[in-house]
Every structure is written in C-alpha cells, then in structure tokens.
Amino acid sequence: MGIDIREATGADVGALSATGRRLFIQAYGNISGAEDLASHVEEYFGESAVAAEFAKPDVQYLLAMDKHEIAGFMKIRQSAIPDCVPASKAIEVQQLYVCARHQRKGIGRLLTDRAVPIAQQGGFEGLWLSVWQDADWAVEFYRAYGYQVMGTTDFRLGQSRYTDFLMWLPLDPVS
Ligand SMILES: CC(C)(COP(=O)(O)OP(=O)(O)OC[C@H]1O[C@@H](n2cnc3c(N)ncnc32)[C@H](O)[C@@H]1OP(=O)(O)O)[C@@H](O)C(=O)NCCC(=O)NCCS
C-alpha cells in the first residue's frame, strides 16, 4: 500500500489544518448547515487551532502519509474521561479521518495500531472516543476494531445538537 505512519511535527501543522478541513467537510458536510459547518471547521481545523493543539504536551497527531500527501490522520489526547468509561487513565481518540479515496484500505486500522502501543506504554488502560451515532461507517469501523458502545453524549455543531456514542477499547497492560 505504501502508507507510512508517523507522528506529526510542527512542519505538518499547515497541511494538517488544510487536510482536516477538507476531510471533515467530505465526511459531514451534508449533515449540517453551511454556517454551523464553517464555524466548527474553523474551531477544530483552523491553522491557529491546530497549532495550539499541537503545542500541548498531552496531544499527539499521527499521520498516514502517502508519499508527501496526508491520506489520513488521528489526534489522540489526554482529557476528562466520561463516567461510562471504566478507566481512571485512558486516551481519547478525538479525531480520526481517512481521505475518501483511501478509505477501506486499512489506514484507519494502521493509525489505531500505532495509537495502541502509545497508550499501553504510557500506562493507559485503553482508548475511548465519541462518534455520531448515525455515522454507521465509523461506528462499524470502531466495532470491527474491538471498541464497545458504553453510553451516549450530546455533541454540538454550531447551533445544532447531535447524539454521539461513547465507545471504549480496553487494552492489555504491557509487562
Ligand atoms: C471511519 C474511518 C476512519 C475508517 O477508516 P478506513 O481506513 O476506511 O478503515 P479500514 O480500511 O482500516 O477498515 C477496517 C475495518 O473497519 C470496518 N469498516 C471500515 N469502513 C467501514 C464502512 N464504511 N462500513 C462498514 N465497515 C467498515 C471493516 O470491518 C474494515 O475491514 P474490511 O475492509 O477488511 O472489511 C473512515 O471511514 C473515515 O475517515 N470516515 C470519515 C471520517 C469519520 O467519520 N471519522 C470518524 C469520526 S469519529
């Protein structure tokens, strides 16, 4: 497949911002109004937002590179753990996006495979995430990887509210 998974560096921030904007709109552009979409994309994928997140010590971006192009990326971070997640120390997968033309080639799985040992080596008990409950493609991906639905939470996109599943992937500790 020729995909290289690596951690992002500061030099990737601009490309990550542009790719994040493009892939979010590609995936969710048809479910929300233009105004909601524009404000959400700016808040989460604007270049200054990505730069600020990148600078945090408890945030990591993993990139799936197809030569010099970002084919997919994952953002993991330490954050407040929802009550329904049975862990005191866990990593949140806050963003996972694979470009449409690269989907179903195992890139989402490869990015998750890279996050798993990062979490295990940091002494984290597992990975958790929230995903729109109607995003069947993503929910199926996470289930196929081994995540379980533990509960639900509200998600705001601009003025609109959606229901997300909270999903959890317990990991074996490394010895
Ligand atoms: C969800 C997403 C990251 C999956 O990435 P991917 O690289 O396409 O997934 P993979 O090729 O690694 O798939 C691994 C397995 O997950 C399951 N899966 C993946 N996509 C699926 C789909 N659309 N429908 C059903 N099952 C799917 C399959 O079991 C698949 O194995 P298989 O292809 O051997 O059957 C990708 O579809 C995506 O970026 N979607 C748009 C953005 C998004 O919704 N992100 C999640 C936000 S929380």
Side-chain angles (χ1 to χ4, degrees):
M1 181 169 44
I3 296 291
D4 175 40
I5 308 290
R6 65 166 174 83
E7 284 185 31
T9 71
D12 296 308
V13 165
L16 199 44
S17 160
T19 307
R21 285 175 191 269
R22 185 167 57 81
L23 298 195
F24 185 84
I25 291 167
Q26 205 170 67
Y28 296 104
N30 61 348
I31 63 149
S32 57
E35 221 169 282
D36 285 351
L37 193 64
S39 66
H40 182 87
V41 162
E42 198 51 41
E43 182 179 345
Y44 287 90
F45 300 110
E47 189 158 344
S48 54
V50 174
E53 288 298 290
F54 180 80
K56 293 180 180 170
D58 53 0
V59 170
Q60 257 175 293
Y61 287 93
L62 303 175
L63 306 182
M65 300 302 299
D66 178 17
K67 300 195 180 71
H68 299 295
E69 182 201 347
I70 300 175
F73 69 91
M74 175 187 268
K75 178 186 178 191
I76 54 177
R77 65 172 189 167
Q78 292 177 56
S79 57
I81 303 169
D83 289 345
C84 62
V85 169
S88 56
K89 208 173 169 230
I91 293 276
E92 179 187 6
V93 175
Q94 197 195 6
Q95 296 166 354
L96 172 59
Y97 291 89
V98 174
C99 177
R101 73 186 175 86
H102 284 289
Q103 286 175 13
R104 233 42 210 270
K105 295 179 184 170
I107 294 176
R109 196 182 280 138
L110 282 176
L111 285 162
T112 309
D113 287 348
R114 180 61 69 92
V116 165
I118 292 173
Q120 287 172 313
Q121 283 155 20
F124 295 92
E125 295 155 68
L127 302 176
W128 72 271
L129 55 86
S130 59
V131 54
W132 181 36
Q133 65 174 1
D134 293 338
D136 298 340
W137 61 92
V139 174
E140 283 312 308
F141 166 80
Y142 293 124
R143 280 192 207 278
Y145 200 92
Y147 285 84
Q148 311 150 40
V149 174
M150 306 301 291
T152 58
T153 188
D154 277 354
F155 173 72
R156 285 188 85 104
L157 203 161
Q159 299 303 310
S160 310
R161 294 177 90 100
Y162 301 89
T163 301
D164 275 10
F165 284 139
L166 288 163
M167 299 187 78
W168 165 238
L169 178 72
L171 298 174
D172 293 331
V174 282
S175 46

